[in-house]
Amino acid sequence: MGIRLKVKSLWSRDESTCAEYGFSQGRVVIGRRTSCDVRLPHSSVSSVHATLREEGAGYVVVDEGSINGTYVNQTRLVPQRSKRLRQGDVLRIGTFLLELHVEPIAQDCGVEETRSLALRLLRGESPDASKPLPAPELRILNGPRSGDSILLSASPMSVRLGRGEDCDLALPDADCSREHCEILRDAAGVRVRDLGSKNGIFVNSKKCEEKWLFDRDEIRVGQTVIAFEDAAAEMLEEITNGEEEALSEPLSAKIQAALATPSPEMTAEEPVESPEEDRDAPSLGNAATIDATAEPAVEVKLSAETPRQGGERVDLFVYVLAGAILALSAAGLWWVFAG
């Protein structure tokens, strides 16, 4: 048994900014904190927002008392109360949608992959397409080309480093091979890979053949040191360590517009799963909340225009019985006075 989550921002316009997490473990923690199994980079997500737990032949979800709530197919959950999940259910947590699939998982997401996926989600999180996050870049720290940089603006892309003039980043360094290594950027993140160089590559003073890169990592190629800088990583840490915030009315309105299926305005009170209802029953919401898109409830009260049907026979019986009682009472009075 395992669980796969396909996660995307409500603002995402590109599949490359979606993220897929796979877990075979019995408990998956979702939130903004670094230690969470699924990191969602937005202040609308609580540090520990919700938990998925294996139970029987499937999984349940529990909202851990988050400020903005956890939704299953647009029904808000009661905090600390489990809700059984079904194949294909969609969770909404803050400004993210998580589609659930129960299936065998060969390998769980590790810490580095989780962080890379969080960065990918962050790049797709801005609702303003005109203000994308800055792209990562490589900056040379020493040698004749000190201060030079190259922007990793596209994804996917690769940059070859070495002594050869035909390299994308040519390094005048005698200890470099002609084609020493390459930097690759794709949807999963940025990594460095050795191209069979004579002296190898070092990331933060540790020799390696291939390694994912994170903000402020230093790559040594021959005698040249190159810094990897990613402003998105710094933003991720700021979001992780920041305070959680209730969704503002303008942001709620944008979320409402982004959702494909109709529902009441999120600026009004939203449906909440009733504590008395069955866990698997569909939520009817609060008594004071009316979903204009829902089918009208059955009216129990009889209106003046409603046919009475069997009620008319009951009324006739009551009238006859009352008349009989009055007749008997009159006869009794006559007998008393006559006697």
Side-chain angles (χ1 to χ4, degrees), residues 74 256 259 261-271 289-293:
Q74 298 198 58
Q256 188 62 36
L259 290 171
T261 53
S263 62
E265 284 297 320
M266 293 181 61
T267 51
E269 186 178 9
E270 296 173 301
T289 305
I290 299 175
D291 186 345
T293 65

Side-chain angles (χ1 to χ4, degrees), residues 257-308:
L259 290 171
T261 53
S263 62
E265 284 297 320
M266 293 181 61
T267 51
E269 186 178 9
E270 296 173 301
V272 179
E273 193 178 38
S274 170
E276 291 79 21
E277 71 182 11
D278 180 77
R279 292 182 181 182
D280 293 329
S283 173
L284 299 178
N286 292 333
T289 305
I290 299 175
D291 186 345
T293 65
E295 292 294 326
V298 177
E299 183 66 52
V300 176
K301 183 175 64 177
L302 292 173
S303 64
E305 293 78 14
T306 306
R308 300 294 297 251

Side-chain angles (χ1 to χ4, degrees), residues 110-123:
V111 175
E112 288 192 356
E113 186 177 0
T114 296
R115 188 173 183 274
S116 294
L117 291 173
L119 283 170
R120 189 194 308 183
L121 290 170
L122 183 60
R123 295 189 186 280

Side-chain angles (χ1 to χ4, degrees), residues 23-320:
F23 302 98
S24 59
Q25 61 205 45
R27 183 171 179 267
V28 176
V29 179
I30 303 170
R32 192 163 34 90
R33 199 164 65 186
T34 306
S35 60
C36 290
D37 301 300
V38 177
R39 294 177 65 184
L40 302 179
H42 195 274
S43 59
S44 63
V45 179
S46 298
S47 295
V48 176
H49 197 108
T51 303
L52 302 178
R53 188 174 65 246
E54 189 175 1
E55 190 173 283
Y59 281 81
V60 298
V61 59
V62 178
D63 178 83
E64 300 292 353
S66 63
I67 284 183
N68 292 304
T70 300
Y71 294 77
V72 177
N73 303 326
Q74 298 198 58
T75 297
R76 184 166 181 164
L77 302 184
V78 175
Q80 305 298 338
R81 184 168 177 272
S82 64
K83 171 76 173 179
R84 183 163 290 280
L85 295 170
R86 297 185 176 91
Q87 189 79 276
D89 276 348
V90 176
L91 310 181
R92 178 165 67 79
I93 294 179
T95 58
F96 298 92
L97 298 177
L98 297 81
E99 185 178 323
L100 176 142
H101 297 277
V102 178
E103 59 186 59
I105 300 296
Q107 184 176 358
D108 288 3
C109 284
V111 175
E112 288 192 356
E113 186 177 0
T114 296
R115 188 173 183 274
S116 294
L117 291 173
L119 283 170
R120 189 194 308 183
L121 290 170
L122 183 60
R123 295 189 186 280
E125 177 54 19
S126 174
D128 188 352
S130 66
K131 297 180 180 178
L133 288 176
E137 65 178 320
L138 303 173
R139 188 177 300 279
I140 301 175
L141 300 181
N142 66 341
R145 296 198 61 179
S146 178
D148 288 356
S149 64
I150 184 168
L151 202 63
L152 305 177
S153 55
S155 176
M157 72 173 297
S158 64
V159 175
R160 289 179 303 151
L161 286 73
R163 196 177 71 252
E165 292 182 0
D166 57 343
C167 287
D168 301 299
L169 188 56
L171 302 173
D173 185 333
D175 290 332
C176 282
S177 298
R178 290 190 60 83
E179 289 191 352
H180 199 105
C181 64
E182 65 178 341
I183 307 293
L184 301 103
R185 182 186 175 192
D186 55 26
V190 180
R191 65 188 190 277
V192 59
R193 182 169 65 190
D194 187 26
L195 293 177
S197 64
K198 179 179 178 181
N199 295 315
I201 57 174
F202 296 79
V203 177
N204 301 329
S205 302
K206 293 183 178 179
K207 191 173 183 178
C208 58
E209 292 185 0
E210 185 169 354
K211 191 180 186 305
W212 290 103
L213 297 175
F214 299 111
D215 185 43
R216 302 183 188 180
D217 278 351
E218 293 187 355
I219 312 158
R220 181 159 62 82
V221 180
Q223 297 301 316
T224 305
V225 179
I226 302 166
F228 173 73
E229 299 176 356
D230 189 357
E234 188 173 343
M235 292 181 64
L236 177 62
E237 295 310 311
E238 289 177 1
I239 292 170
T240 298
N241 298 322
E243 296 293 327
E244 60 186 297
E245 298 176 1
L247 287 168
S248 63
E249 288 190 6
L251 185 56
S252 293
K254 287 182 180 179
I255 291 174
Q256 188 62 36
L259 290 171
T261 53
S263 62
E265 284 297 320
M266 293 181 61
T267 51
E269 186 178 9
E270 296 173 301
V272 179
E273 193 178 38
S274 170
E276 291 79 21
E277 71 182 11
D278 180 77
R279 292 182 181 182
D280 293 329
S283 173
L284 299 178
N286 292 333
T289 305
I290 299 175
D291 186 345
T293 65
E295 292 294 326
V298 177
E299 183 66 52
V300 176
K301 183 175 64 177
L302 292 173
S303 64
E305 293 78 14
T306 306
R308 300 294 297 251
Q309 297 178 356
E312 293 180 349
R313 291 194 293 271
V314 173
D315 290 347
L316 179 62
F317 174 76
V318 171
Y319 295 149
V320 172

